[in-house]
Amino acid sequence: GLGFNIVGGTDQQYISNDSSIYVSRIKKDGAAYLDGRLQEGDKILSVNGRDLKDLRHKDAVELFRNAGCDVSLKIQRRLQPQNGPVGHRGDGESGGLPLAAILVPGLALAAAAIWILLRYRQRV
């Protein structure tokens, strides 16, 4: 097999009012896992040029089963993980302020304070 499971279809909507096909699980050491490009939660738009729009789940499964050895998938990357803590972005970023947004103004204030101190000491 291709090494992943799918959910969705016109008869088994994974997301309300969306009959698209999604990757639900990547099987460890399977073809998709070893390739590394497909991720859980990705929407699969087409298989070998065949659009997956408006297909029943079992028809989509059959397309994957008959895809052959060289498989071309057109996917849409998920925007956010389906599971996980609220506020987790899943892209390695904390979602807070960048460190530079805190350090640069802080360093500017410190430099200004040192300049004022030095100017004051010269006058005394």
Side-chain angles (χ1 to χ4, degrees):
L2 300 174
F4 62 92
N5 294 351
I6 59 169
V7 291
T10 57
D11 56 336
Q12 297 180 18
Q13 292 182 350
Y14 177 60
I15 296 175
S16 183
N17 298 320
D18 182 358
S19 60
S20 300
I21 303 296
Y22 292 87
V23 176
S24 62
R25 182 172 160 252
I26 306 275
K27 297 176 184 177
K28 188 169 182 167
D29 297 327
Y33 177 86
L34 296 172
D35 178 78
R37 290 180 282 180
L38 196 62
Q39 296 178 8
E40 291 178 359
D42 286 348
K43 181 191 289 190
I44 304 176
L45 305 175
S46 68
V47 179
N48 293 338
R50 171 75 199 274
D51 191 6
L52 296 183
K53 196 173 193 175
D54 299 326
L55 285 181
R56 294 180 300 174
H57 180 80
K58 71 176 190 173
D59 295 330
V61 169
E62 200 59 33
L63 271 178
F64 285 104
R65 285 193 176 137
N66 296 321
C69 294
D70 293 325
V71 180
S72 174
L73 300 178
K74 182 176 181 183
I75 62 129
Q76 180 179 350
R77 185 72 65 215
R78 65 174 180 235
L79 296 178
Q80 292 184 343
Q82 298 297 322
N83 297 318
V86 175
H88 177 72
R89 295 174 55 149
D91 57 5
E93 294 183 25
S94 67
L97 286 175
L99 188 56
I102 298 167
L103 287 180
V104 171
L107 290 173
L109 284 173
I114 291 170
W115 182 79
I116 291 170
L117 180 63
L118 291 174
R119 298 281 296 184
Y120 177 77
R121 289 180 79 190
Q122 286 177 355
R123 291 184 182 184
V124 174

